[in-house]
Amino acid sequence: RVEHSQRAMFDGQVHDVDEAAKAVQIIRKELELKTGLKLQKVAVAAAGRTLCTETGKALREEAFPMRWEKQDVLALEMEALQEAMAKTTSAEMDSSYPYCVGYSTVKQELEGQSLTSLVGQRGKKAEIKVVATFLPRTVVDGLVAVLERAELEMASLTLEPIAAGQAAIPPDMRRLN
């Protein structure tokens, strides 16, 4: 943990890229000394004070029953995610294109019956509902700018509560949505 010498961030938004990058460089050097490894890629957990959460759903009906494979389910999830993104308004996103920082499938149905997973199931009509969280592009761009100054690359991005949950809650108890 390193404190900034002056306030570089407000409510999760980078306001001073150089100052925030100095703190990241200090932490990077300490971690590299401790581990003996050179850090190049990092996972980022954003505060998300200006986030927007929306739901989306997608329905697909085939002429004949089919076996729903992983790629079919993923395609339905992406359709639902696009619907959720379309619901975000420019006012909520500060007139910038929203960046999806996480989504969770909250409902999967086959032939009107709720299932835990569609993968491997057989039927004609499938529906998926997701809840998705978006950050304004400016927030993400600020984080990327800090990492670039610290000569690091973002490998993944999530929200702090999601990261904390993944670290503290066992996988079989995470279906809290």
Side-chain angles (χ1 to χ4, degrees):
R1 191 180 93 190
V2 173
E3 290 188 27
H4 303 284
S5 61
Q6 63 186 24
R7 190 112 186 242
M9 300 186 71
F10 297 89
D11 295 327
Q13 170 74 49
V14 175
H15 283 256
D16 186 333
V17 172
D18 288 333
E19 185 64 28
K22 285 178 194 173
V24 170
Q25 288 169 330
I26 291 168
I27 292 170
R28 176 188 183 173
K29 287 176 185 171
E30 287 178 12
L31 287 171
E32 287 178 343
L33 282 173
K34 281 183 182 179
T35 64
L37 301 171
K38 178 158 175 48
L39 294 179
Q40 295 174 326
K41 294 184 179 186
V42 294
V44 176
R49 302 281 189 274
T50 56
L51 56 82
C52 175
T53 300
E54 290 289 351
T55 60
K57 63 182 178 178
L59 172 70
R60 187 166 140 200
E61 194 164 355
E62 298 294 325
F64 301 100
M66 64 173 272
R67 184 155 328 276
W68 294 87
E69 299 300 340
K70 193 171 187 169
Q71 66 269 17
D72 302 312
V73 175
L74 185 59
L76 264 180
E77 286 178 356
M78 293 302 106
E79 275 185 54
L81 191 57
Q82 285 180 327
E83 181 183 287
M85 184 181 284
K87 289 180 181 179
T88 62
T89 65
S90 60
E92 291 167 324
M93 290 286 105
D94 294 330
S95 300
S96 66
Y97 189 74
Y99 186 92
C100 181
V101 290
Y103 79 94
S104 181
T105 302
V106 294
K107 183 173 129 183
Q108 296 185 54
E109 285 186 359
L110 185 65
E111 309 295 346
Q113 276 201 316
S114 188
L115 297 170
T116 307
S117 174
L118 289 172
V119 177
Q121 300 285 351
R122 190 170 174 78
K124 293 191 322 184
K125 183 178 167 186
E127 183 175 359
I128 285 184
K129 183 177 179 183
V130 300
V131 60
T133 304
F134 303 90
L135 279 174
R137 176 64 60 177
T138 54
V139 171
V140 178
D141 288 346
L143 294 170
V144 170
V146 168
L147 294 177
E148 286 174 351
R149 294 275 168 99
E151 297 178 357
L152 292 167
E153 181 183 337
M154 186 184 301
S156 64
L157 174 66
T158 191
L159 295 172
E160 286 175 349
I162 294 171
Q166 288 178 340
I169 299 171
D172 60 334
M173 294 182 70
R174 288 188 196 155
R175 292 197 51 86
L176 306 174
N177 295 324

